[in-house]
Amino acid sequence: MDRKEKYERRQARKAEKERALEEARLEQERLQLKKDKKYMRQAITQAKKAAAIGEVPIGCVIVKDDEVVARGYNRRNADHNTLSHAETVAIRRASKKLGDWRLEGCTMYVTLEPCQMCSGALVQSRIDRVVIGCDNPKAGCAGSILNLLDMPQFNHRVEITRDVLKEECSAVLTGFFKELREKKGREETGNEGREEA
Amino acid sequence: MDRKEKYERRQARKAEKERALEEARLEQERLQLKKDKKYMRQAITQAKKAAAIGEVPIGCVIVKDDEVVARGYNRRNADHNTLSHAETVAIRRASKKLGDWRLEGCTMYVTLEPCQMCSGALVQSRIDRVVIGCDNPKAGCAGSILNLLDMPQFNHRVEITRDVLKEECSAVLTGFFKELREKKGREETGNEGREEA
């Protein structure tokens, strides 16, 4: 075997190794996305609970070691409480369940990009990662208006994954507001009818 | 009376009126500061309750129509809850007392500049005004790191008053940390003594 042949074999082994690594990485990403979708579906279930009581449908779950440790959905009007956003409800419950205000090792799955309060609470909780369904261009604070989850000035930064089941998460919200408008329309028509009678 | 005299009298009346307005403004500011100090003293009382249970001493009160509607002090470790900062505790209680997640017409008095979570919660609560004792240069989000209370992109902006009883508010914190260090020092010395024996 001459030098050239040896060199080519080495190169081939190197390429093979890189291909295997890349495949393993892709496989891991595929598995992670599968898992992310599974938990986002559970967050959507929570969002629908909010819609059922007439609240803006936003839902979330918090997962640790492949187990759901807390769930939450928006009940700000029902509870008469600023702190009853889906995320803050779930953070409170997870803290209680884990017996610690630190949510290290946890991931939150939330259907809509968190607001300034919930993004702040996520940084304060020292959660590892947040998986977001759809963005909130008008009020989101995990990248839209600003990104509180990833500021070098704070003592904790949260890993973000976006656009997981984006369309489904968005559809829950648009469906809710469409129904609200239609209901309002019907009521207005109804009122006019009564006035005419 | 000639034209010049008339002109001078008019000018004198105008100056007199401006002086009276300025005096009224200063008197109002003086009264407001007196009131602010009164409620900040109550916030300091809350902070001391936190110190008494070994928590970082931060306290606050929420006032509406010259009446304290809610109090809160930091009990993050005691409650094992990320959401148990002084401000979030008081916001939850005020929401409950007023039966509304909107804290319109309310003022919060807090001994230390709020963090990202609490600043976010204050914007979400649509509170009118926040009065701050001392700044938190490393983590404050009402002007130090950033100012979440006054961002044109959000649908609500909060009026801020700073430095009310600044020294007293700061002293509660420095006193707490000094005592903590001394206690730690004593414990370490104690341990060394035992090891030597």
Side-chain angles (χ1 to χ4, degrees):
Chain A
M1 200 157 58
D2 63 6
R3 270 184 74 178
K4 198 188 163 200
E5 213 178 322
K6 271 187 177 173
Y7 173 78
E8 277 167 358
R9 280 199 188 178
R10 234 183 5 251
Q11 287 300 94
R13 277 201 302 274
K14 204 178 154 190
E16 178 58 30
K17 203 174 162 186
E18 274 169 12
R19 214 168 16 245
L21 271 172
E22 178 63 11
E23 263 172 35
R25 197 185 59 76
L26 286 174
E27 176 63 9
Q28 203 169 2
E29 269 188 20
R30 205 185 55 81
L31 284 173
Q32 185 63 63
L33 182 61
K34 196 181 162 190
K35 203 183 274 183
D36 286 351
K37 284 183 177 175
K38 171 185 153 189
Y39 291 121
M40 190 59 84
R41 259 178 232 113
Q42 297 195 30
I44 293 173
T45 303
Q46 292 300 310
K48 287 177 180 168
K49 286 188 183 178
I53 58 165
E55 301 265 1
V56 176
I58 304 161
C60 73
V61 296
I62 295 177
V63 173
K64 187 177 186 178
D65 300 332
D66 269 326
E67 191 202 339
V68 174
V69 291
R71 295 172 180 82
Y73 57 91
N74 176 34
R75 21 187 315 125
R76 189 169 63 163
N77 287 305
D79 287 357
H80 309 298
N81 188 349
T82 302
L83 302 172
S84 288
H85 282 199
E87 299 94 315
T88 35
V89 167
I91 289 171
R92 193 188 67 229
R93 289 180 180 165
S95 283
K96 197 175 176 185
K97 173 141 186 188
L98 302 172
D100 197 340
W101 60 262
R102 298 168 198 83
L103 302 183
E104 283 156 5
C106 293
T107 297
M108 173 180 282
Y109 294 83
V110 58
T111 57
L112 181 71
E113 183 186 353
C115 74
Q116 65 278 71
M117 171 179 73
C118 295
S119 299
L122 285 161
V123 177
Q124 282 291 328
S125 78
R126 302 197 193 159
I127 203 164
D128 285 13
R129 183 170 167 247
V130 172
V131 182
I132 298 168
C134 57
D135 287 347
N136 186 354
K138 282 188 189 168
C141 286
S144 289
I145 302 281
L146 72 166
N147 192 345
L148 290 176
L149 296 184
D150 191 21
M151 284 190 57
Q153 298 98 319
F154 295 152
N155 66 352
H156 182 72
R157 292 161 88 162
V158 184
E159 193 194 327
I160 306 172
T161 304
R162 318 191 84 89
D163 298 339
V164 172
L165 298 184
K166 184 179 179 172
E167 280 72 30
E168 289 88 330
C169 289
S170 182
V172 178
L173 283 161
T174 48
F176 175 79
F177 286 115
K178 194 179 165 220
E179 207 170 291
L180 208 67
R181 278 194 303 274
E182 283 171 2
K183 200 179 158 194
K184 216 178 161 187
R186 274 198 305 277
E187 275 170 10
E188 274 166 15
T189 317
N191 282 336
E192 278 167 26
R194 273 196 293 281
E195 274 163 23
E196 278 167 12
Chain B
M1 199 157 57
D2 64 7
R3 270 184 73 178
K4 198 187 160 203
E5 213 180 325
K6 270 189 180 172
Y7 173 77
E8 277 167 359
R9 280 197 187 182
R10 229 177 17 243
Q11 289 300 92
R13 279 201 302 274
K14 204 177 154 191
E16 179 58 31
K17 203 174 163 187
E18 274 168 10
R19 216 167 16 243
L21 271 171
E22 178 63 9
E23 264 172 34
R25 198 184 59 76
L26 285 174
E27 175 65 8
Q28 203 169 2
E29 268 188 20
R30 206 184 55 78
L31 285 173
Q32 185 63 62
L33 183 62
K34 195 181 161 190
K35 204 183 274 182
D36 285 351
K37 283 183 178 176
K38 172 184 152 188
Y39 292 121
M40 189 58 84
R41 259 178 234 114
Q42 298 194 29
I44 292 173
T45 303
Q46 292 300 310
K48 287 177 179 167
K49 286 188 183 177
I53 58 164
E55 300 266 1
V56 177
I58 304 161
C60 74
V61 297
I62 295 176
V63 173
K64 187 176 186 178
D65 301 330
D66 269 325
E67 192 203 338
V68 174
V69 292
R71 294 171 181 84
Y73 58 91
N74 176 33
R75 23 186 315 126
R76 187 169 65 162
N77 287 304
D79 288 356
H80 309 299
N81 187 349
T82 301
L83 303 173
S84 286
H85 282 199
E87 301 94 316
T88 34
V89 167
I91 289 172
R92 193 189 66 229
R93 289 181 179 164
S95 283
K96 197 175 176 184
K97 174 141 185 186
L98 302 172
D100 196 340
W101 59 263
R102 297 167 199 86
L103 302 183
E104 283 157 4
C106 293
T107 298
M108 174 180 282
Y109 294 83
V110 59
T111 57
L112 182 71
E113 182 187 354
C115 72
Q116 66 277 73
M117 171 178 73
C118 295
S119 299
L122 286 161
V123 177
Q124 282 290 329
S125 78
R126 300 194 193 162
I127 204 164
D128 286 12
R129 183 171 167 247
V130 173
V131 182
I132 298 168
C134 57
D135 287 346
N136 186 356
K138 281 188 189 168
C141 286
S144 290
I145 302 281
L146 72 167
N147 193 345
L148 289 176
L149 296 184
D150 191 21
M151 285 189 58
Q153 298 97 319
F154 295 152
N155 66 351
H156 181 72
R157 291 161 88 163
V158 184
E159 192 193 327
I160 306 174
T161 305
R162 319 190 84 87
D163 298 340
V164 172
L165 298 184
K166 184 180 179 173
E167 280 73 29
E168 290 88 331
C169 290
S170 183
V172 178
L173 283 161
T174 49
F176 174 79
F177 286 115
K178 194 179 163 221
E179 207 171 291
L180 209 67
R181 278 193 303 274
E182 283 171 1
K183 201 179 157 193
K184 218 177 162 187
R186 276 198 302 277
E187 276 171 10
E188 275 166 13
T189 316
N191 283 335
E192 278 167 26
R194 273 196 293 281
E195 274 164 21
E196 277 166 13

